[in-house]
Amino acid sequence: MCSSNNRIVIAGGGTAGWMTAAALAQHFGSLAQITLVESSSIGTVGVGEATIPTIRDFYHQLGMNDLDVIRATGATCKLGIQFNDWHRPDSSFMHPFGLYGERVQGIDFHQFWLKMRALGQAAPLGEYCLGASLAGSGKFTLPSRNPPSTLSVFDWALHFDANRFAGLMRDYAIDKGVTAVNATIHTVSQYDDGRIRALETECGRSIAGDLFIDCSGFRGLLIGETLGVGYCDWRQWLLCDRALAVQSQRGTSPNPYTRVDARSAGWQWQIPLQHRDGNGHVYSSEFIADDSAEKILRDNIDGELIGELRQLRFVPGRRERAWEKNCIAIGLAAGFLEPLESTSIALIETAIERIKTLMTNFDIHPSVIEEFNHTTAQEYERVRDFLIFHYKATARDDSDFWRYCRNMPIPDTLQHKLDLFSASGHIVNYRWEIFHEPSWLALFAGFEHLPEHHDIRVDRFPTEQVRQSLEAMRTSLRKAVDSAPHHSTFIREHCATEINAGAAT
Ligand SMILES: Cc1cc2nc3c(=O)[nH]c(=O)nc-3n(C[C@H](O)[C@H](O)[C@H](O)COP(=O)(O)OP(=O)(O)OC[C@H]3O[C@@H](n4cnc5c(N)ncnc54)[C@H](O)[C@@H]3O)c2cc1C
């Protein structure tokens, strides 16, 4: 059965376009007619390779399982992100996807840790987190479905070949009835009230629809160029506006984490796939010239390069409104925040989730649009604040870039979060926030932004008892880590890919 107003047209066939097509085809089934227009003469960005655990929920909902997705995309397992030289040169910490320690009588673990740390009797925070400990040892195992304690709780994500992942989504969507059109959109025709009527292609086709989803990438063909929705520019806080990306041969066995190393005017990523590495240097064009940035990248890659370096330019920020009239922007068309915490694909997922939740029919009330825009803006702003903290919290003063970052003013929302943690050790967690307490805690500890006082209730426990409990936690985690296989062994035994290094993707 088909209702009216049910023609959904997606402009763009990158990761955002095909994820949206797959998820909406599954969600609406035959209730919607979905068409996706992509242009083989205009490429995709294709560099989104590191994810956070929500990606697994996304493809599970489509009925795909982890090991099959890993094999199909040459993926490796990701337990977190290792930050090197961010706090100061030679410093290192892990932002894992997992919990730290155990709450006792309603008191957060980190309050006990803060007390023992001040007494010089606690190990680094990561040693009380199974995910961080596994990652630091280069090991990986699937989380137990029935963990004996919260101490064993961790989550994981994937590093995958972005083009192959988009291909998986494409196959799924087409199988569910999505129509794919390979054509370049030339103009966008509109009704008198500004709503979009149809996409007109260079080959003379007119693709009419009721709801349009702009997944056309940075240019925002529909949301920006056609509907004129402005862009909130966040360069005053997030200075990086360029990236150089290149693939390289795998040398050693793959780490079960993304590596991000601070550089003099930005940072460098290393994302291990089974068959190759992805590398990139994200930097501020105000503080370093392109050729110097390129040299830094080349000098810091171990394996032989595969293919050419690509430069990508961007403005960190978000669309003023992600949904305007009958057009919703998803992916790079909706905004972009540097890939330091692998949030872009996650923001695609949450945008799709919001459409699924809010669009209970095809007659769209203005309140639906308002809710979508409000929550999208909040989510972007909370990711923005999380990213800004990485720069603001540095103790580095060895370059103009880092000196600027540590002295820059920050948004009030972030300042409040920092003040609250300093004053009470409490981590405020909002709805529509991608990163929860453990993530903030990892950052606070990694940058040594710690409260002066622990929760006074901790003092009810004898200090020696607390010390022994912390030690027992560490010992139990160590045992779990010792018995886990190396990441490469796990992959070889469960989900090895047949993709070769250098294979076209
Ligand atoms: C340097 C860098 C590193 C990144 N790393 C990560 C990461 O590690 N993790 C993460 O989650 N995200 C990352 N991202 C973001 C991630 O790459 C994107 O969120 C993701 O790829 C989605 O892109 P997209 O589909 O919105 O746009 P694109 O990939 O640009 O796709 C746009 C589509 O629109 C089509 N199109 C454009 N114009 C027309 C037209 N006129 N007619 C027809 N079709 C048209 C194109 O053909 C293409 O199919 C990174 C981004 C950058 C820049």
Side-chain angles (χ1 to χ4, degrees):
M1 188 193 75
C2 285
S3 54
S4 56
N5 297 339
N6 70 342
R7 295 165 305 166
I8 300 176
V9 178
I10 300 171
T15 308
W18 283 115
M19 281 175 71
T20 306
L24 295 189
Q26 190 221 29
H27 182 72
F28 288 121
S30 60
L31 294 172
Q33 296 172 25
I34 305 178
T35 306
L36 184 146
V37 188
E38 61 185 338
S39 168
S40 49
S41 54
I42 302 174
T44 63
V45 161
V47 279
E49 300 191 322
T51 62
I52 62 174
T54 51
I55 188 68
R56 295 181 38 247
D57 299 331
F58 181 84
Y59 61 67
H60 290 165
Q61 282 183 37
L62 302 181
M64 299 179 186
N65 79 57
D66 294 317
L67 300 181
D68 287 345
V69 173
I70 292 177
R71 270 184 223 104
T73 59
T76 63
C77 309
K78 172 178 172 184
L79 290 161
I81 305 175
Q82 186 187 63
F83 288 86
N84 299 312
D85 307 328
W86 279 80
H87 183 216
R88 32 177 81 89
D90 297 325
S91 65
S92 181
F93 70 90
M94 189 74 72
H95 167 198
F97 303 132
L99 301 183
Y100 292 94
E102 283 178 299
R103 295 187 101 205
V104 178
Q105 293 180 18
I107 307 171
D108 286 331
F109 165 78
H110 69 266
Q111 299 284 2
F112 293 92
W113 177 78
L114 284 170
K115 173 170 179 173
M116 299 316 286
R117 182 182 181 276
L119 294 172
Q121 295 185 36
L125 187 66
E127 296 192 22
Y128 304 95
C129 168
L130 184 54
S133 302
L134 283 166
S137 307
K139 297 200 161 184
F140 182 79
T141 185
L142 295 173
S144 159
R145 291 216 172 140
N146 185 16
S149 74
T150 51
L151 201 56
S152 322
V153 175
F154 70 94
D155 210 343
W156 60 287
L158 265 56
H159 303 114
F160 56 42
D161 181 315
N163 292 323
R164 287 182 192 271
F165 185 72
L168 262 190
M169 294 295 115
R170 187 180 203 280
D171 292 347
Y172 179 94
I174 288 176
D175 191 52
K176 289 276 175 206
V178 172
T179 306
V181 177
N182 182 4
T184 301
I185 302 157
H186 182 258
T187 40
V188 178
S189 58
Q190 293 170 270
Y191 296 107
D192 291 345
D193 63 4
R195 280 178 306 124
I196 297 174
R197 196 190 63 76
L199 308 182
E200 316 293 345
T201 71
E202 278 179 357
C203 52
R205 274 186 77 172
S206 180
I207 300 157
D210 302 301
L211 178 70
F212 290 81
I213 304 194
D214 187 351
C215 295
S216 64
F218 284 129
R219 67 183 291 196
L221 181 61
L222 312 187
I223 195 85
E225 290 181 21
T226 306
L227 296 176
V229 175
Y231 195 81
C232 305
D233 179 340
W234 288 336
R235 269 177 295 189
Q236 76 265 40
W237 299 302
L238 294 169
L239 277 69
C240 293
D241 58 355
R242 289 190 192 172
L244 287 163
V246 71
Q247 300 172 1
S248 65
Q249 299 277 357
R250 292 245 73 254
T252 51
S253 55
N255 294 321
Y257 53 83
T258 307
R259 185 174 158 168
V260 296
D261 298 350
R263 300 283 179 230
S264 61
W267 55 276
Q268 182 173 338
W269 80 72
Q270 186 212 36
I271 297 176
L273 305 193
Q274 289 187 40
H275 52 297
R276 63 165 171 81
D277 281 345
N279 310 275
H281 184 187
V282 178
Y283 57 96
S284 165
S285 60
E286 225 184 292
F287 288 88
I288 192 169
D290 291 336
D291 53 351
S292 307
E294 181 175 333
K295 181 168 170 13
I296 288 176
L297 179 60
R298 287 184 185 276
D299 288 350
N300 288 287
I301 296 176
D302 293 334
E304 202 176 309
L305 301 194
I306 305 170
E308 295 297 309
L309 255 77
R310 289 176 61 204
Q311 192 194 54
L312 298 120
R313 297 178 179 211
F314 54 86
V315 177
R318 66 165 171 84
R319 286 283 158 200
E320 282 164 7
R321 292 176 303 287
W323 189 334
E324 176 78 349
K325 299 187 189 294
N326 62 340
C327 171
I328 308 173
I330 298 187
L332 298 173
F336 181 61
L337 293 161
E338 60 183 79
L340 183 57
E341 289 279 358
S342 321
T343 40
S344 286
I345 294 173
L347 288 164
I348 296 171
E349 294 155 23
T350 54
I352 294 169
E353 265 320 300
R354 262 193 289 280
I355 295 178
K356 286 163 54 178
T357 306
L358 292 170
M359 263 187 62
T360 53
N361 60 64
F362 296 111
D363 295 321
I364 293 155
H365 190 267
S367 59
V368 167
I369 300 180
E370 196 183 312
E371 180 67 13
F372 186 93
N373 285 336
H374 176 66
T375 49
T376 303
Q378 287 202 325
E379 204 167 54
Y380 270 81
E381 279 159 27
R382 286 170 184 157
V383 172
R384 175 200 69 191
D385 285 0
F386 191 63
L387 295 179
I388 294 171
F389 178 70
H390 296 67
Y391 293 98
K392 177 69 181 173
T394 188
R396 290 182 69 133
D397 64 357
D398 54 324
S399 72
D400 289 343
F401 174 81
W402 290 109
R403 277 189 289 277
Y404 178 92
C405 290
R406 54 188 287 190
N407 293 314
M408 70 183 167
I410 56 175
D412 293 344
T413 41
L414 175 58
Q415 191 63 55
H416 171 70
K417 203 151 193 161
L418 303 190
D419 290 346
L420 186 67
F421 187 68
S422 297
S424 66
H426 179 68
I427 301 170
V428 62
N429 197 198
Y430 301 109
R431 188 155 152 67
W432 301 114
E433 182 160 21
I434 286 185
F435 294 105
H436 300 287
E437 288 96 330
S439 293
W440 279 97
L441 183 60
L443 271 279
F444 286 147
F447 283 102
E448 296 178 21
H449 174 88
L450 295 172
E452 282 173 26
H453 305 288
H454 53 268
D455 187 326
I456 49 174
R457 291 175 299 165
V458 169
D459 294 331
R460 287 195 195 134
F461 297 81
T463 303
E464 180 52 21
Q465 185 191 326
V466 176
R467 192 194 65 74
Q468 283 178 15
S469 303
L470 260 64
E471 205 37 47
M473 281 182 203
R474 264 177 87 207
T475 309
S476 118
L477 287 185
R478 207 21 56 218
K479 274 194 194 146
V481 171
D482 287 346
S483 63
H486 279 279
H487 180 219
S488 49
T489 309
F490 177 88
I491 289 175
R492 194 174 57 247
E493 289 179 358
H494 300 283
C495 45
T497 188
E498 289 177 4
I499 305 170
N500 298 317
T505 57

